[in-house]
Amino acid sequence: MNRNVVGAIFKRNFFAYFNNPTGYVFICLFVVLSSLAAFWPNDFFNANLDNLDQLNRGLPFILLVFIPAITMSIWAEERRAGTDELLLTIPAGDFDVVLGKYLAAVAIYTVALVFSMVCSFVTLRLLGNPDVGLFLATYFGYWLVGIAMLAIGMVASFLTGNLTVGFVLGAVFNAPLVFATFADVILPTGWVVPGWWPHIFGQPGDVWYPATAVRNWSIAEQFRDFGRGVIALANVAYFGAIVAISLYVSMVLISRRHWQGRRQAENMAFHYSLRSVLLVIMAFGLVLLCEYRSLRADVSSEQLSSLSPQTRQLVRDLQPKHTVHIDAYVSSEDVPESYVQTRLNLLAMLSEFGALNSNKIQVQVHNTEPLSEEADRAEKLFGITARNVVSRTQGVIKAGELYMGVALTCGLNKVVIPFFDYGTPVEYELVRSIATVAEQTRKKVGVLVTDAKLFGGFDQASMSPTQNQPIIDELEKQYDVKQVSADQPITEKYDVLLAVQPSSLAPEQMNNFVACVRSGQPTAIFEDPLPLTPGVPGTDAPRQPPQQNPFMGRQPPLPKGDITQLWKSLGVTLPGGLVVWQQYNPYPRLSYFPPEFVFVNRDLHAAEKVGGWVFNPDDAITKGLHELLFLFPGSIRQSNTSSLTFKKLTVTGVDTGVVNADEVMNRSMFGGGGLNPRRRWLPMHEEYVLAAHITGTLKAAAMPMSDQQPEVDQLSQAQPGGLPPGHPPVGTAPGRGVPGQPAAGAKPAAKPVDAKINVVLVADIDCIYRDFFEIRNQAGDPNRGDFNLNPDNVTFAFNALDSLAGDDRFIPIRTRRPMHRTLERVEAATQRAREDFVTNRDTFVKDYEDALAKIEAQFKKELEDLQKRQNVDPQQMLIEAQMIQERHNRLLQVKRDQLQKERDLKTRDIERKLTLTVRGVQNGYKLWALLLPPIAPLLIGLAVLVNRRAGEREGVARSRLR
């Protein structure tokens, strides 16, 4: 290669392009089209992501027009002007000529891309705070796409001497790689592999996806990783292979003048054709080799498309007997804003799992739309169906169907995730499902049967069966879950035992449970002084009988075991009659929450201007947590005489106190009654421990006497007034004689053994109930309005169970939260309008309710006046009461219709104003995104034109100037 020749040809073509203002016109066109594709679609604002996802979809089609405009003149112009022969006579090889012209085309495209990059970054920066790493990786992908298409366009230019034909051929040659992403339009989505097919397509009976195989080799699919901020060696090799093949073909086309017309022309044509085919095969193999090696780097600042080290290690440690097949059924890119981030996370994680180890995991993503073949296959094979979702597009609420389900199979094992909700941790769900389906044995978790009824049951109030609590369904995805009854001694060992509100156990059950805890059984205990769950008694509250009839008198409460023997064994105190409150609420729009809703987050101590931590940074259970919410919790305190290790997991702030559990609620014979506004808050201004991990060995000598002699305790509790008639004195078992003297033939008493303790104790049970699973699934959803919490309650509960079970594989993965960069400026610009909408809507609703309440109050007053009248015939009073009732009903119906109409009109009016405000803000940014980008290339092109005209006028007589 002659560098001087390459450099000379490069300069000649490069400067010829930019010395002409027409080149800048093409650059302006490219920049404008790029801005239109990136920022003009409504999807850009609906997605609310500060990235270039919309441009990623449209750029290949823009380049399908722009690239041929550059390449059509590379050689066709030389032939048209007759300078090709002159160029070929210089002392240079054919490769030098091809390389010089190609580098000039690449430089021209790079300049245009730099203009687009600067304009796009400025626009994104005006809208928010873009991820620089993701942005640069995306534009590096654009550059690779462009240089590959330039190389293909060069081949078209070497085939003709006509510029128009060169442009058309350049577009036609690039079109297959661009439109291959729509292969499922003409190819079947799935074929069942027959027995006579080669095994490269799979085993007989397997489903082969020809459309997917073709689509995977399209430009759009090979670029997709760059759009996620991932630079993969396989993708770079793909575009590099296209460049190498196209340059070689171009060199063959330019060198054919040496052998064309000779006798051996046909042989030479076959020879070079065979070379080209072999080069394609070699390039194909190189790309597959790079895919197998799976060298990838996530350069985004947020590491959105990276698997955590724990996930990678977990997959490496798996030894499945069969390959884990992951079939994902995901809707197309036009999804509601609420699920855009979840969809991106899901596709990114699936891509990373597919690239992680092809021998263990194979991933197949199916673009699924309602009533399609994929939708039918998803429902019949795995029970995955569409979810009806509601979204807001430019302020307008729309409903639609969305697919976002995944099925994992390994041999005969199968795990199905029907739908990924907005707040579902994608990586955790996938890696947990992979581990579950690949492993033959699972750890066992026992769930203690208490009045909490985690496994559902029969609701006496509604007279209907109840479903399992979501925590049971979540546990079954990872563990072998067993119900554990404490009616008999618990002798079976579990990896972890879950006990929710054990204070509701009967005396005999309590003794068996305490003995199980002392035996070294790892146990997670959730105990609450004031549960909000119906039918679950508080720690000090009486245990209600299974059936309550308010008209038949109160039935005596069921007996409860002595929970204090458990606290003594754990070396703690948990006052069952006191509820903790805290004056801290990080959500101003949720100020109606009572102080007994205790928020614990990382900003708590900073807000109170005190030091310390609220989440133990040295314990894996709480290390990665951000926020917890406890509802009417209790508190835990270590006894002064305890020898056990008491590790605090989470604590409150200092602006705290307690309130009697009996005073919190207004009680009625029918239940409920709401919060008691007269409850007395006692300020204490101290930290309260809400959860702790208790470990160690409890010496037998330090155990309570009742713990060492459970048989005596049981007998003493059998009769409130004392021991049963005829029973030996305390300390004596039946038939054993007097205390201190062994009975005849009796075996020597067993020596007391030390108790091993491994317990996580939490002073609240509401934190793990159904509502928090629903909050987690919908956390961050913009359609949820002001109720937009994202506590880590579910994560905390499962971290505790995993830690006790000795399975810490998922703890760091579960606490990981990828954060997407959003359009912060747009959100701020429309936030005031959204707040006004919510405020006005609530005002209208309140006015409507107040008006109806006034009518109700008037009706009650008339009835009271009627009842106060004396010497009125009861029959006449009944008739008048019925007339008042009828008049009230008519008035109420008329007023209700009137108020509803006024409320609906006002609500639609403010919704219209909100929609217009949102559209106005979005359209304003669209206009600036369209007008700003072409300014720079237009100014430079104008300067070049003026300079060129000035140069043309030099040395020309004034009389000849026009």
Side-chain angles (χ1 to χ4, degrees):
M1 182 179 69
N2 191 329
R3 294 184 179 179
N4 294 330
V5 173
V6 172
I9 296 175
F10 167 81
K11 293 178 181 179
R12 176 175 176 269
N13 285 264
F14 181 76
F15 289 111
Y17 190 88
F18 286 103
N19 283 334
N20 190 339
T22 306
Y24 294 95
V25 173
F26 275 102
I27 292 177
C28 285
L29 180 62
F30 173 72
V31 172
V32 169
L33 290 177
S34 299
S35 297
L36 279 174
F39 308 114
W40 195 263
N42 292 330
D43 291 345
F44 174 74
F45 293 97
N46 295 338
N48 192 30
L49 295 176
D50 201 19
N51 58 24
L52 298 171
D53 280 351
Q54 280 65 43
L55 181 57
N56 295 346
R57 290 184 246 171
L59 186 75
F61 303 98
I62 296 174
L63 294 182
L64 199 58
V65 177
F66 182 66
I67 292 298
I70 297 176
T71 59
M72 67 180 181
S73 61
I74 285 181
W75 193 250
E77 179 65 19
E78 299 284 359
R79 287 187 174 179
R80 187 188 64 82
T83 57
D84 56 334
E85 294 296 335
L86 179 62
L87 186 62
L88 294 175
T89 58
I90 63 175
D94 297 335
F95 181 72
D96 297 337
V97 175
V98 172
L99 184 60
K101 286 188 167 292
Y102 175 71
L103 292 179
V106 170
I108 294 169
Y109 171 69
T110 303
V111 170
L113 199 63
V114 168
F115 276 108
S116 173
M117 181 173 67
V118 173
C119 295
S120 296
F121 185 78
V122 170
T123 304
L124 291 176
R125 193 68 182 86
L126 289 174
L127 295 171
N129 183 26
D131 188 321
V132 177
L134 173 61
F135 180 82
L136 294 178
T138 300
Y139 263 89
F140 178 62
Y142 293 163
W143 186 76
L144 289 177
V145 172
I147 66 173
M149 296 179 70
L150 283 170
I152 296 174
M154 276 188 61
V155 176
S157 183
F158 277 107
L159 289 174
T160 180
N162 186 288
L163 292 178
T164 303
V165 176
F167 178 88
V168 173
L169 289 179
V172 170
F173 287 0
N174 278 294
L177 292 179
V178 172
F179 288 98
T181 188
F182 305 111
D184 53 351
V185 175
I186 59 176
L187 293 177
T189 55
W191 277 346
V192 178
V193 178
W196 49 268
W197 273 48
H199 286 294
I200 60 173
F201 298 106
Q203 299 296 328
D206 290 347
V207 179
W208 182 59
Y209 303 94
T212 302
V214 174
R215 186 172 61 243
N216 288 340
W217 290 93
S218 68
I219 284 179
E221 288 296 320
Q222 294 294 326
F223 165 80
R224 198 174 297 278
D225 283 336
F226 295 101
R228 300 187 183 118
V230 177
I231 297 178
L233 180 60
N235 303 134
V236 176
Y238 169 83
F239 293 111
I242 292 176
V243 172
I245 295 170
S246 300
L247 290 182
Y248 180 77
V249 173
S250 297
M251 190 178 65
V252 171
L253 293 175
I254 199 176
S255 65
R256 62 181 175 173
R257 70 187 190 280
H258 298 303
W259 44 267
Q260 198 172 25
R262 299 181 181 179
R263 293 182 179 179
Q264 65 274 26
E266 294 183 359
N267 294 334
M268 294 299 294
F270 175 78
H271 173 76
Y272 282 109
S273 299
L274 182 60
R275 278 190 176 187
S276 300
V277 172
L278 292 176
L279 182 60
V280 170
I281 295 174
M282 291 175 58
F284 180 80
L286 176 64
V287 174
L288 292 180
L289 178 62
C290 292
E291 284 186 354
Y292 178 78
R293 297 297 300 172
S294 187
L295 298 178
R296 306 161 66 84
D298 186 352
V299 298
S300 63
S301 302
E302 299 293 343
Q303 296 290 289
L304 297 174
S305 299
S306 295
L307 296 176
S308 63
Q310 293 79 11
T311 296
R312 295 178 179 274
Q313 185 62 44
L314 189 148
V315 174
R316 282 195 293 267
D317 294 341
L318 287 178
Q319 299 296 332
K321 294 183 178 180
H322 306 278
T323 301
V324 177
H325 295 274
I326 303 179
D327 288 277
Y329 296 88
V330 185
S331 293
S332 63
E333 296 175 342
D334 186 18
V335 300
E337 175 189 351
S338 306
Y339 292 93
V340 169
Q341 295 187 21
T342 305
R343 181 182 179 278
L344 290 177
N345 292 336
L346 176 59
L347 294 178
M349 292 297 103
L350 290 172
S351 177
E352 294 302 307
F353 276 115
L356 192 59
N357 192 317
S358 59
N359 293 330
K360 295 181 180 179
I361 301 174
Q362 290 185 0
V363 178
Q364 186 70 42
V365 179
H366 309 274
N367 292 328
T368 310
E369 299 299 334
L371 305 179
S372 63
E373 293 183 13
E374 292 83 359
D376 183 65
R377 189 180 298 114
E379 183 173 1
K380 289 182 177 179
L381 295 180
F382 307 110
I384 297 175
T385 57
R387 172 78 64 87
N388 291 321
V389 298
V390 178
S391 62
R392 183 182 294 273
T393 303
Q394 286 193 318
V396 179
I397 297 178
K398 297 182 179 180
E401 293 185 331
L402 180 64
Y403 282 91
M404 210 135 61
V406 174
L408 303 94
T409 57
C410 181
L412 298 178
N413 295 335
K414 179 172 66 174
V415 173
V416 177
I417 307 174
F419 191 82
F420 281 84
D421 282 295
Y422 186 92
T424 305
V426 176
E427 180 183 3
Y428 164 65
E429 286 290 338
L430 288 176
V431 71
R432 180 178 66 172
S433 300
I434 290 172
T436 300
V437 78
E439 294 177 344
Q440 301 301 315
T441 58
R442 304 186 190 182
K443 288 182 176 291
K444 288 196 304 182
V445 57
V447 179
L448 187 67
V449 178
T450 65
D451 285 357
K453 294 182 174 61
L454 297 183
F455 283 92
F458 190 81
D459 186 6
Q460 298 291 337
S462 62
M463 302 299 293
S464 61
T466 58
Q467 297 179 344
N468 291 350
Q469 286 292 333
I471 191 172
I472 298 299
D473 299 331
E474 289 288 317
L475 284 172
E476 289 176 343
K477 295 178 182 179
Q478 179 178 344
Y479 291 97
D480 182 13
V481 181
K482 302 291 185 181
Q483 293 193 61
V484 179
S485 174
D487 293 337
Q488 302 295 330
I490 304 173
T491 57
E492 185 176 358
K493 290 298 180 181
Y494 302 91
D495 294 288
V496 61
L497 179 65
L498 174 62
V500 179
Q501 205 67 4
S503 62
S504 62
L505 294 173
E508 181 69 21
Q509 295 173 333
M510 179 67 72
N511 292 332
N512 292 332
F513 171 63
V514 173
C516 176
V517 173
R518 289 202 207 100
S519 68
Q521 170 66 60
T523 309
I525 300 175
F526 291 79
E527 180 66 34
D528 197 330
L530 186 63
L532 296 182
T533 305
V536 182
T539 304
D540 285 356
R543 187 182 178 204
Q544 299 299 323
Q547 292 185 354
Q548 287 283 343
N549 190 337
F551 301 102
M552 299 297 294
R554 285 189 173 272
Q555 300 182 26
L558 297 177
K560 293 179 66 174
D562 182 12
I563 192 68
T564 59
Q565 62 175 309
L566 177 61
W567 304 149
K568 291 177 182 178
S569 300
L570 300 180
V572 299
T573 57
L574 198 155
L578 297 177
V579 172
V580 173
W581 57 265
Q582 178 177 252
Q583 290 292 354
Y584 173 73
N585 187 339
Y587 300 94
R589 300 179 68 181
L590 300 178
S591 58
Y592 53 85
F593 279 6
E596 291 87 357
F597 279 30
V598 178
F599 287 92
V600 179
N601 67 21
R602 293 187 177 274
D603 299 329
L604 172 57
H605 280 174
E608 296 180 338
K609 299 181 179 179
V610 297
W613 49 260
V614 293
F615 296 119
N616 192 331
D618 299 324
D619 195 285
I621 297 176
T622 53
K623 184 177 181 180
L625 301 183
H626 292 78
E627 180 176 276
L628 294 176
L629 174 57
F630 297 91
L631 310 182
F632 301 93
S635 62
I636 308 166
R637 191 183 300 272
Q638 186 179 23
S639 302
N640 295 330
T641 59
S642 175
S643 60
L644 300 176
T645 300
F646 183 86
K647 183 188 291 187
K648 302 176 183 178
L649 294 179
T650 180
V651 297
T652 66
V654 294
D655 192 3
T656 58
V658 294
V659 59
N660 287 328
D662 294 337
E663 297 182 4
V664 175
M665 295 291 182
N666 286 322
R667 301 296 182 183
S668 68
M669 63 185 299
F670 296 100
L675 286 172
N676 177 16
R678 300 183 181 87
R679 60 190 185 278
R680 294 169 294 176
W681 292 290
L682 179 63
M684 301 298 291
H685 301 293
E686 64 177 84
E687 288 185 348
Y688 287 94
V689 180
L690 302 179
H693 191 183
I694 305 165
T695 56
T697 302
L698 182 64
K699 299 297 183 180
M703 293 184 193
M705 183 62 65
S706 60
D707 294 344
Q708 299 182 32
Q709 298 179 358
E711 186 178 13
V712 176
D713 286 349
Q714 295 171 24
L715 291 171
S716 63
Q717 295 171 2
Q719 187 174 340
L723 299 176
H727 193 279
V730 174
T732 307
R736 293 188 182 179
V738 296
Q741 298 181 7
K747 296 182 179 179
K751 183 179 179 180
V753 296
D754 298 339
K756 297 180 179 180
I757 303 297
N758 184 15
V759 169
V760 169
L761 178 60
V762 183
D764 185 35
I765 71 168
D766 302 304
C767 64
I768 61 171
Y769 268 69
R770 184 179 308 276
D771 291 342
F772 285 97
F773 284 85
E774 296 177 356
I775 291 173
R776 181 200 66 168
N777 292 340
Q778 301 298 327
D781 186 349
N783 294 325
R784 288 177 62 83
D786 57 347
F787 195 74
N788 196 7
L789 298 173
N790 191 12
D792 293 318
N793 289 37
V794 176
T795 300
F796 168 68
F798 277 85
N799 284 357
L801 292 170
D802 284 357
S803 179
L804 290 170
D807 185 6
D808 58 354
R809 298 174 298 169
F810 304 115
I811 293 179
I813 307 171
R814 192 183 289 119
T815 55
R816 188 184 180 201
R817 283 185 175 181
M819 301 298 294
H820 292 264
R821 306 287 179 92
T822 59
L823 304 177
E824 299 172 358
R825 302 290 177 84
V826 178
E827 292 175 345
T830 58
Q831 182 63 28
R832 179 63 182 272
R834 297 183 189 277
E835 290 178 353
D836 291 343
F837 167 75
V838 174
T839 302
N840 293 332
R841 181 192 60 189
D842 295 343
T843 301
F844 299 152
V845 173
K846 186 176 184 303
D847 292 343
Y848 169 77
E849 294 175 349
D850 291 344
L852 295 182
K854 289 181 180 179
I855 298 176
E856 292 285 352
Q858 180 182 356
F859 168 67
K860 291 181 179 179
K861 186 175 182 306
E862 292 182 7
L863 288 181
E864 291 175 357
D865 293 342
L866 179 63
Q867 293 175 354
K868 291 178 181 179
R869 291 170 56 184
Q870 300 179 354
N871 301 324
V872 180
D873 182 60
Q875 187 68 23
Q876 180 65 25
M877 181 178 294
L878 180 61
I879 294 174
E880 292 185 16
Q882 291 177 349
M883 294 175 60
I884 293 174
Q885 178 71 45
E886 293 176 359
R887 187 174 70 253
H888 164 74
N889 291 338
R890 289 196 300 269
L891 178 62
L892 185 64
Q893 184 62 39
V894 172
K895 193 65 175 177
R896 181 184 289 113
D897 294 341
Q898 179 184 354
L899 292 174
Q900 284 181 349
K901 186 176 181 179
E902 293 178 359
R903 183 198 62 185
D904 294 342
L905 288 175
K906 292 179 180 179
T907 302
R908 281 197 297 269
D909 184 57
I910 61 174
E911 285 181 351
R912 188 182 303 109
K913 292 180 180 179
L914 172 62
T915 300
L916 292 176
T917 301
V918 172
R919 287 181 179 176
V921 171
Q922 294 179 0
N923 292 337
Y925 281 113
K926 286 181 181 181
L927 184 61
W928 283 111
L930 182 63
L931 295 179
L932 288 178
I935 292 178
L938 279 178
L939 291 177
I940 296 176
L942 182 61
V944 171
L945 177 62
V946 171
N947 182 65
R948 182 174 178 178
R949 294 296 300 270
E952 292 174 352
R953 289 169 177 262
E954 290 182 1
V956 179
R958 290 181 176 270
S959 59
R960 298 181 58 187
L961 295 175
R962 295 180 180 179

